[in-house]
Amino acid sequence: MSCQWKSRRQFLKNAAAVSAGAWLAPKTLAERLAMLPAVGQKFAASDTVTIGQTGIKTSRLAMGTGTVGSGHHSHQTALGIDGLSRLLLNGYDSGLRFFDAADAYGSHPHVAEALKHVDRTKVTVLTKSWARDADGMRADLDRCRRELGVEHIDIMLMHCVTDGDWTTKYRGAMDVLEEAKQKGVIRAHGCSCHSIEALRAAAKSPWVEVDLVRINPLGAVMDDSPETVTSVIREMRASGKGIVGMKILGQGAMRTRQDEALKYALGLGMLDAFTIGAESISEQNDLVKRIAAA
């Protein structure tokens, strides 16, 4: 009887703590922004940052090529090879050195065209594969390098992992990327996560060197609430993983509130870099100015 009472008392105590935590958690954008610490430094989109412990140095802002992308098509690839390559080159001229591509976006030819006109050694090329087994990943590695026109890929990610046991289920594909790194075919490997279970598994996996994480203060198109996701990011950072934020503008949900979204991303103090896909040169130039003023 005594044990039952203690158990019930503990249950009520825990429930009260959860309830209080939920009540105290910031619910509005203004509350979330107000809770950020004062950073006390100026930022620029072109700042040189290091991605985790990979040794890869690149720009704070990555140029995304798939704000909404699937089936080898995206908003950015709709600009055409000339249009998107010009957009990437405009960013390069502004000091942006991080090209974020993906097989699913069909953006490899566009990135390849831009790379013809720049110093390849100054550009970080990130791409992503949907392959889930060894044979598929091996084939994707060869094809992606061919399409990009490069000998090596700086960061290769498993795209859109969702299962909580993905680090066990897809071990074959992971082993191929690990071997590719040893051979110099890629410089770092990791994943982009699209569920909180997958994100938590990534945080605990020593294999993950770089994680592409969805984060914005609205919780738009994210794996969970901003508070839950940032707690996992904190765990990732503590273990030395490279963290690149995505969905910073909530896939358009914060397009009219960009300054608040950028302040949030920069104020977290936990993102090595973040990726945003502009759809025009004017939009890209405006984004660079907003980051400097955030």
Side-chain angles (χ1 to χ4, degrees), residues 142-155:
D142 290 340
R143 179 173 55 80
C144 290
R145 283 188 296 153
R146 218 168 36 244
E147 292 174 353
L148 288 163
V150 299
E151 293 183 359
H152 77 273
I153 294 168
D154 297 290
I155 303 173

Side-chain angles (χ1 to χ4, degrees), residues 201-229:
K204 290 175 170 48
S205 171
W207 179 87
V208 175
E209 298 173 312
V210 180
D211 200 296
L212 197 55
V213 184
R214 302 192 288 186
I215 183 71
N216 60 73
L218 285 184
V221 198
M222 278 177 52
D223 302 327
D224 210 302
S225 70
E227 292 72 36
T228 298
V229 171

Side-chain angles (χ1 to χ4, degrees), residues 49-52 54 56 58-64 98-100 124 126 128 155 157 191-193 199 208-215 229 233 236-237 241-248 265 270-276:
V49 301
T50 303
I51 307 299
T54 65
I56 295 172
T58 189
S59 60
R60 184 180 303 282
L61 178 63
M63 292 181 281
F98 201 167
F99 292 8
D100 172 17
T124 298
L126 177 155
K128 317 171 194 81
I155 303 173
L157 304 182
C191 62
S192 70
C193 296
L199 191 65
V208 175
E209 298 173 312
V210 180
D211 200 296
L212 197 55
V213 184
R214 302 192 288 186
I215 183 71
V229 171
I233 293 176
M236 288 179 166
R237 190 168 181 83
K241 298 185 188 307
I243 304 164
V244 180
M246 63 171 166
K247 305 302 180 190
I248 302 300
M270 292 189 288
L271 306 180
D272 296 316
F274 52 83
T275 182
I276 300 177

